[in-house]
Amino acid sequence: MSDQVTLTRDGEIAVVTVENPPVNALGAAVRQGLYKAMEEIDADDAIKAAIIIGSGRTFPAGADIREFGQPPQPPGLSEVCTRIEDATKPVVAAIHGTALGGGLEISLGCHYRIADPKGRVGLPEVLIGVLPGAGGTIRLPRVAGIAAALDIMISGRQVGAKEALSLGILDRLADGDLLDSAKSYARELVAEGAGPRKTSERSEGLGTDAENAAALEAARNGIVKKAKGLYAPARMVDSMEYSLTHSLQDASNYERDCFMECLKTPQQKGLVHAFFAERASAKVPENGRADPRPLSKIGVIGGGTMGAGITVAALNAGLEVTMVERDKGSIDRGRNNVEKVYARDVEKGRKTEEQKAAIMARYTPSTSYDDLGDADLIIEAVFENMDVKKEVFAILDKVAKPGAVLASNTSYLNIDEIASATSRPEDVIGLHFFSPANIMRLLEIVIPSNATDDAIATGFDLAKKMKKVPVRAGLCDGFIGNRILGKYATAAAYMVEDGASPYAVDEALVNFGYPMGIHAMGDLAGLDIGWSNRKNKAATRSNDARYNGTIADRLCENGWFGQKTGKGWYVYKEGDRRGTPNPDAEKIIDEARRDLGIAPREFTEDEIIRRYLAAMINEGAKVLEEGIALKPSDIDVTFLFGYGFPRYRGGPMKYADMYGLENVLNDLREFEKEDPKFWKPAQLIIDMVEKGESFDDLNKRAAS
Ligand code: 3H9
């Protein structure tokens, strides 16, 4: 076969095992091995049926994504699936773990499918910018129906074994050991004389022509809502539609053409980059140098929105949590904030009352710091003020057990200074959660000067337990995310002062792929946050920098903080979260421009995006230069998971590579003429353009 595919025999049953850890991806050697195994099985009269199974943790989880864009190596996956389907003896797929993408397609090439009850199947190609390219659009609808098949493909969701059974994707669930069950199934098939059953020739999932057409049309209309901006979903519908009236060979060719078209799109490159960037962010030097400290009990200081969100994230991770607040009223509110999350879960049918009670049993509200004596890690989530935080850390120093990790959830403050309030700065790290902390997956792990490797590794371990995406950030004002946000928010503020409407800026960003524009986002988060930040920094602001808060300050001076006051950049009707432009804000903008002596000018959508992104990328490069981020992909991950950057664009640094670093530099040079200080190009960008390097080159260097 090949090193990655073995064929063994148990009497008249052949067992083909794929062994390509960690996820049995269907790389060239696996495809060759499967193809050869089918040839051997067909040629051996003693074999009456065959089983395909994955070793280790899963049935193949898809094509090997690393091969995308490389010269193709035969046989193609589609060919392998058809070769399996053409086998002259019944072939049973024995599924455990996650049969995804090409993995599910291999199993659909098999004639029968049995799965471990905990197994899952799916066609998540949409998440990496392609469509199923090995018969998925052809075979899945034939067993599951068009509507279900398109729902699975367009959402990319994983379908549990029970649902897959009810949809006709699976034939049965294993009872006990999967391989034993699969062998019994295969023997039954042989005994019954059930021969090969080609999925591509089945039709029980399909409806009448009119029903099929209606399902295709409904999916086409739903794409705008369900897969906004994505290219691949429409091609899935096209390919499925084509397969209904064409031979398997023609349909396979058409599907392959659609797949190849998707492969050429920047979306596909952005999404594949996002896939690997997400997995690379936890690979940090400290993790290799030290083991995390034990972690089962955590303390949270503060029961506000952030403290409660962190508590829920920790409870969901199976940890015990003690929450401390300063008085009875505050801790009651804290407890209520936690409880209402689970009450909603019960209301929505996501949890039972018993499950809620079991989770809440791991939660201890308290008004005494002394109750934190056995916590392995304590996260402070109090008011964003240095004196308050230092006070908390001085107390933690007294009550925490030796070796407990002490973490601050600050989003801007200097953690070295916070750590100086303790006698153990080596145990202090930053854990910057994003609100709502139980939902948002980004966790910036901030590394102060004295933190030890095992304290840092413990932060990463917490992220893993909470299923968060951790990003290692060095110490600076705003760390990675908020520091870069500060720059592009300023670029947006300058554009509005200079003549762009805030609504045009937001529209440009939505068209770029953001879920909402920066002004709508400001209204959602509360404009008072930025206002108070600007006031805090007023004394240290440099005189030669252009001020960015003239208009926003005036909105706040009127008490217009955004959604919570019903008015900000937009006006909000009672209970409505979507605003309409605020005419009073427009008046303020006009006045501010007059006061600043600015003659407003036009900004095209293209210029808005060029400025917004140039500010973001330039600061990203400075963050890299200073070692605040270890690699460009960490910046991408930060913005994908914490700031709404459209995933299909891969993140700001990947976008820079695709837009062309030289073009970024040209934009910066153009804008630099009007404000040399703000738009000064990062030296890293200048050097990289000179050397013809890309941010991807830096990612590769970091990985090696
Ligand atoms: C496809 O099938 C196209 C076909 O229709 C047509 C072709 C013609 N390839 O996520 P994890 C690596 S498209 C290469 O941390 P988990 C991953 O990078 C494919 N590598 O584990 C990581 O490497 P490292 C459709 C892959 O347990 C390691 O495996 N399938 C692939 O949290 C462990 O991964 C998909 O899109 C791959 N396909 O989750 C499924 N998959 O250790 C993509 C994983 O160096 N995969 N790796 O960082 C997943 O969704 C998750 O990996 C899975 C396991 C759920 C399977």
Side-chain angles (χ1 to χ4, degrees):
M1 295 313 90
S2 76
D3 284 352
Q4 297 170 357
V5 177
T6 53
L7 199 167
T8 53
R9 289 168 175 77
D10 181 357
E12 55 190 12
I13 310 295
V15 178
V16 179
T17 307
V18 178
E19 188 166 0
N20 184 22
V23 299
N24 290 322
L26 296 153
V30 175
R31 298 196 303 273
Q32 283 153 14
L34 284 170
Y35 199 97
K36 276 194 202 140
M38 287 304 127
E39 301 273 287
E40 195 169 322
I41 288 162
D42 270 351
D44 187 339
D45 287 343
I47 296 175
K48 301 291 179 216
I51 293 167
I52 298 181
I53 193 165
S55 75
R57 68 195 218 203
T58 187
F59 196 80
D64 188 337
I65 304 170
R66 290 175 208 274
E67 284 184 357
F68 286 8
Q70 310 288 331
Q73 288 196 55
L77 194 53
S78 179
E79 219 180 304
V80 175
C81 293
T82 301
R83 178 65 191 87
I84 295 169
E85 196 175 64
D86 285 342
T88 52
K89 303 158 187 183
V91 184
V92 177
I95 296 171
H96 75 298
T98 42
L100 301 178
L104 178 56
E105 290 172 305
I106 286 281
S107 78
L108 289 166
C110 297
H111 308 120
Y112 303 90
R113 285 160 292 281
I114 180 168
D116 179 276
K118 289 204 204 79
R120 281 169 291 152
V121 303
L123 292 171
E125 284 85 345
V126 67
L127 306 176
I128 49 169
V130 293
L131 73 160
T137 68
I138 304 165
R139 293 191 178 94
L140 187 61
R142 279 169 168 76
V143 289
I146 296 214
L150 281 171
D151 162 57
I152 291 168
M153 287 178 207
I154 293 172
S155 67
R157 74 185 172 94
Q158 293 182 10
V159 180
K162 282 196 193 101
E163 186 188 349
L165 182 70
S166 72
L167 285 172
I169 301 171
L170 299 175
D171 296 295
R172 60 168 75 174
L173 300 184
D175 186 11
D177 181 74
L178 174 65
L179 184 56
D180 288 346
S181 302
K183 283 179 182 168
S184 309
Y185 188 20
R187 286 196 182 101
E188 256 176 61
L189 291 166
V190 174
E192 284 166 10
R197 180 190 57 169
K198 294 187 176 191
T199 314
S200 64
E201 289 175 1
R202 292 171 66 185
S203 60
E204 57 269 41
L206 299 175
T208 62
D209 287 352
E211 283 164 351
N212 295 340
L216 289 164
E217 195 52 24
R220 250 190 204 110
N221 295 334
I223 287 173
V224 180
K225 203 162 153 219
K226 289 191 188 141
K228 192 175 152 270
L230 290 181
Y231 177 75
R235 308 305 284 146
M236 294 173 184
V237 184
D238 292 344
S239 179
M240 201 176 284
E241 184 171 41
Y242 189 93
S243 81
L244 294 177
T245 49
H246 290 82
S247 68
L248 174 63
Q249 185 59 55
D250 286 349
S252 299
N253 290 343
Y254 186 78
E255 187 189 58
R256 192 205 48 228
D257 291 347
C258 294
F259 183 84
M260 296 312 285
E261 260 176 53
C262 289
L263 266 196
K264 286 188 211 133
T265 62
Q267 289 195 351
Q268 186 271 334
K269 294 179 180 60
L271 287 165
V272 166
H273 172 77
F275 178 87
F276 288 114
E278 181 181 339
R279 285 157 178 85
S281 73
K283 291 174 184 151
V284 295
E286 291 84 358
N287 266 345
R289 292 196 296 253
D291 288 330
R293 300 179 190 175
L295 188 57
S296 61
K297 291 185 180 178
I298 76 160
V300 175
I301 317 294
T305 310
M306 189 49 96
I310 295 171
T311 300
V312 171
L315 290 170
N316 289 346
L319 299 165
E320 285 180 45
V321 185
T322 299
M323 176 193 274
V324 172
E325 261 290 3
R326 55 178 179 264
D327 53 40
K328 165 124 180 40
S330 307
I331 195 65
D332 285 350
R333 270 194 299 280
R335 185 191 169 98
N336 192 36
N337 285 340
V338 172
E339 197 139 23
K340 74 183 176 207
V341 173
Y342 293 111
R344 205 174 150 73
D345 280 352
V346 172
E347 200 184 293
K348 295 252 165 198
R350 291 191 289 251
K351 283 194 172 64
T352 62
E353 278 293 350
E354 292 71 43
Q355 284 167 328
K356 174 182 168 216
I359 291 172
M360 288 303 284
R362 285 187 276 108
Y363 167 74
T364 311
S366 166
T367 51
S368 169
Y369 279 90
D370 292 335
D371 288 338
L372 296 174
D374 61 352
D376 302 309
L377 179 147
I378 304 173
I379 304 168
E380 159 280 306
V382 302
F383 188 60
E384 189 77 348
N385 172 288
M386 181 57 85
D387 293 339
V388 178
K389 300 228 181 223
K390 280 169 93 170
E391 227 169 83
V392 169
F393 272 77
I395 302 172
L396 293 182
D397 192 30
K398 293 202 185 78
V399 299
K401 68 180 182 187
V405 175
L406 309 180
S408 172
N409 176 52
T410 180
S411 31
Y412 285 96
L413 298 176
N414 183 336
I415 303 176
D416 275 350
E417 192 179 337
I418 297 177
S420 73
T422 73
S423 62
R424 39 174 139 174
E426 66 279 8
D427 292 335
V428 177
I429 60 170
L431 289 176
H432 181 209
F433 288 84
F434 288 72
S435 193
N438 52 316
I439 309 274
M440 294 288 285
R441 292 196 55 217
L442 179 64
L443 177 60
E444 267 184 313
I445 300 189
V446 190
I447 318 295
S449 313
N450 297 306
T452 54
D453 288 346
D454 60 340
I456 295 163
T458 311
F460 278 88
D461 189 39
L462 178 74
K464 193 170 169 194
K465 289 193 160 74
M466 288 181 167
K467 297 196 172 69
K468 302 245 174 246
V469 184
V471 170
R472 183 195 189 282
L475 208 56
C476 68
D477 187 18
F479 317 129
I480 297 178
N482 282 345
R483 169 168 162 180
I484 296 174
L485 163 69
K487 285 293 171 186
Y488 64 80
T490 296
Y494 290 165
M495 282 193 273
V496 173
E497 281 182 7
D498 290 342
S501 137
Y503 316 112
V505 171
D506 280 7
E507 197 184 327
L509 293 172
V510 169
N511 290 342
F512 182 77
Y514 273 94
M516 61 172 77
I518 189 161
H519 299 95
M521 190 62 219
D523 274 3
L524 176 64
L527 300 179
D528 48 326
I529 302 176
W531 192 34
S532 117
N533 229 334
R534 286 192 296 278
K535 283 192 281 194
N536 286 341
K537 288 185 179 154
T540 51
R541 189 177 307 128
S542 94
N543 286 333
D544 58 343
R546 178 177 169 184
Y547 184 51
N548 61 1
T550 310
I551 297 170
D553 286 355
R554 291 184 188 187
L555 293 177
C556 291
E557 281 154 17
N558 279 292
W560 301 334
F561 296 160
Q563 287 196 16
K564 61 184 163 192
T565 59
K567 223 173 181 183
W569 296 103
Y570 295 83
V571 230
Y572 302 87
K573 286 208 200 87
E574 185 75 32
D576 198 351
R577 295 169 73 84
R578 280 175 65 95
T580 50
N582 176 3
D584 292 327
E586 289 178 302
K587 271 190 221 137
I588 285 183
I589 295 169
D590 287 340
E591 279 163 19
R593 286 175 185 154
R594 267 200 305 277
D595 294 349
L596 293 166
I598 293 170
R601 69 169 180 90
E602 292 277 319
F603 283 81
T604 61
E605 188 160 321
D606 174 67
E607 184 176 357
I608 291 171
I609 294 299
R610 282 198 298 128
R611 283 178 180 263
Y612 200 79
L613 268 297
M616 197 181 301
I617 296 159
N618 199 34
E619 195 63 14
K622 291 179 184 173
V623 157
L624 279 170
E625 250 168 25
E626 293 169 30
I628 300 298
L630 291 185
K631 49 191 184 293
S633 66
D634 285 352
I635 299 175
D636 290 332
V637 168
T638 304
F639 284 88
L640 294 176
F641 287 93
Y643 297 81
F645 197 95
R647 189 173 169 95
Y648 64 77
R649 294 194 187 269
M653 310 318 268
K654 180 67 184 175
Y655 176 82
D657 275 357
M658 292 198 280
Y659 178 65
L661 216 46
E662 198 167 351
N663 294 326
V664 175
L665 184 58
N666 289 340
D667 284 345
L668 290 166
R669 294 273 191 234
E670 178 189 330
F671 308 147
E672 197 187 9
K673 287 184 199 132
E674 77 205 33
D675 185 345
K677 190 174 160 84
F678 182 76
W679 291 107
K680 187 177 181 336
Q683 191 57 44
L684 180 67
I685 296 186
I686 298 172
D687 294 346
M688 286 172 70
V689 168
E690 227 160 68
K691 289 189 225 152
E693 281 187 334
S694 67
F695 286 119
D696 254 352
D697 294 329
L698 303 193
N699 286 326
K700 285 189 193 119
R701 225 174 281 155
S704 62

